[in-house]
Amino acid sequence: MRMRNKPWAMDFLSSNEDIVDVESRYAGKIDEFFVKKQPLHIEVGTGMGTFITELASRNPDINYAGIELDKNVMIRVLEKVRELELENVRLLLLDANKIDEYFNEDEVDRVYLNFSDPWPKNRHEKRRLTFSSFLDQYKLILEKDGELHFKTDNRGLFEYSLVSLNQFGMDFHEVILNLHEDEPEDNIRTEYEEKFSAKGNLIYRIKASF
Ligand code: SAM
């Protein structure tokens, strides 16, 4: 997701430190960042935040941490969190490859990956968020029965992820090849999901645990 660079973005995010953690102040103690102590779900690569803010509105008994490395994009999520006055969403300006430094072992109950960048070239495999080094990290921070929920319209990334999760020994709870054909009520469409579905792309979803 490319957004115009906003030179003021970092200052703006820093001035909203009740919602956004720009310098990992809450690493190792994320409970202190939330109003209530309750189960924790995270989304890696929130984009503009339609998914996480709607999910959090529907589930006030769950805390949600949105992880995004692009500060310009994060401003859009911050605006939504403010507008909806969501106490159960906090935002982390963080590269996903550092989440094992941010969260404690077994601290997270669910990880969402929505329309992650596909990185189609072989030499970029390590950047895919379902590459084994990321799975290592999710496994570490997820509690025993915690789940990974993954959606994409990208056939290559979907097939790659099926193989990668399978090789990692994960248990599959759900593999859907056309999510919108008989759309489950619990599905919340992301910005990319709306865009690619409107183009006629199939949407794939996987739910799995370690
Ligand atoms: N999830 C949103 C959706 O479905 O509409 C956005 C999808 S967009 C293709 C991928 C997002 O992931 C971008 O906003 C990008 O900045 C973010 N992202 C990519 N790699 C990341 C990483 N290593 N750590 C954190 N965020 C990342």
Side-chain angles (χ1 to χ4, degrees), residues 50-116:
T50 304
F51 177 84
I52 198 168
T53 52
E54 172 60 24
L55 194 61
S57 304
R58 290 188 193 181
N59 301 291
D61 298 339
I62 295 172
N63 286 336
Y64 292 92
I67 297 167
E68 175 56 61
L69 51 63
D70 185 329
K71 56 187 187 313
N72 302 300
V73 172
M74 183 157 272
I75 287 173
R76 303 294 293 275
V77 198
L78 171 61
E79 287 167 349
K80 291 192 175 87
V81 175
R82 280 261 179 254
E83 194 183 307
L84 298 167
E85 299 181 2
L86 291 168
E87 282 190 341
N88 60 333
V89 181
R90 294 294 176 258
L91 307 174
L92 316 179
L93 189 68
L94 187 73
D95 192 319
N97 64 22
K98 295 214 171 77
I99 57 173
D100 59 341
E101 295 170 24
Y102 197 99
F103 297 98
N104 296 315
E105 274 182 44
D106 304 329
E107 188 171 44
V108 176
D109 298 276
R110 187 172 298 167
V111 174
Y112 289 100
L113 300 176
N114 291 317
F115 298 81
S116 309

Side-chain angles (χ1 to χ4, degrees), residues 113-115 149-159 161-162 174-181 187 193 196 200-207:
L113 300 176
N114 291 317
F115 298 81
H149 291 197
F150 170 83
K151 287 196 283 187
T152 187
D153 69 306
N154 186 286
R155 181 85 192 185
L157 183 65
F158 170 67
E159 288 176 357
S161 302
L162 273 181
E174 175 189 289
V175 176
I176 297 184
L177 303 178
N178 184 357
L179 185 64
H180 292 180
E181 185 182 41
N187 188 48
E193 186 168 349
F196 290 124
N201 295 6
L202 293 179
I203 307 298
Y204 308 101
R205 185 166 81 178
I206 300 172
K207 295 183 179 177

Side-chain angles (χ1 to χ4, degrees), residues 18-78:
D18 55 328
I19 295 177
V20 186
D21 187 0
V22 295
E23 47 192 25
S24 298
R25 283 175 300 131
Y26 289 98
K29 50 180 182 184
I30 193 156
D31 275 351
E32 294 178 18
F33 202 9
F34 286 96
V35 177
K36 291 187 207 152
K37 184 166 166 38
Q38 45 191 16
L40 176 63
H41 294 187
I42 68 174
E43 186 190 13
V44 182
T46 52
M48 289 192 279
T50 304
F51 177 84
I52 198 168
T53 52
E54 172 60 24
L55 194 61
S57 304
R58 290 188 193 181
N59 301 291
D61 298 339
I62 295 172
N63 286 336
Y64 292 92
I67 297 167
E68 175 56 61
L69 51 63
D70 185 329
K71 56 187 187 313
N72 302 300
V73 172
M74 183 157 272
I75 287 173
R76 303 294 293 275
V77 198
L78 171 61

Side-chain angles (χ1 to χ4, degrees), residues 113-171:
L113 300 176
N114 291 317
F115 298 81
S116 309
D117 296 317
W119 294 109
K121 292 185 179 147
N122 283 341
R123 68 173 191 275
H124 291 147
E125 180 190 1
K126 290 181 179 168
R127 298 184 192 178
R128 297 175 197 153
L129 294 182
T130 47
F131 180 64
S132 58
S133 65
F134 286 106
L135 299 181
D136 274 328
Q137 297 194 42
Y138 308 145
K139 183 177 182 183
L140 193 75
I141 64 172
L142 272 170
E143 58 98 17
K144 192 172 63 65
D145 298 321
E147 291 188 0
L148 178 69
H149 291 197
F150 170 83
K151 287 196 283 187
T152 187
D153 69 306
N154 186 286
R155 181 85 192 185
L157 183 65
F158 170 67
E159 288 176 357
Y160 171 83
S161 302
L162 273 181
V163 172
S164 182
L165 271 56
N166 188 45
Q167 284 178 346
F168 208 86
M170 292 183 71
D171 295 324

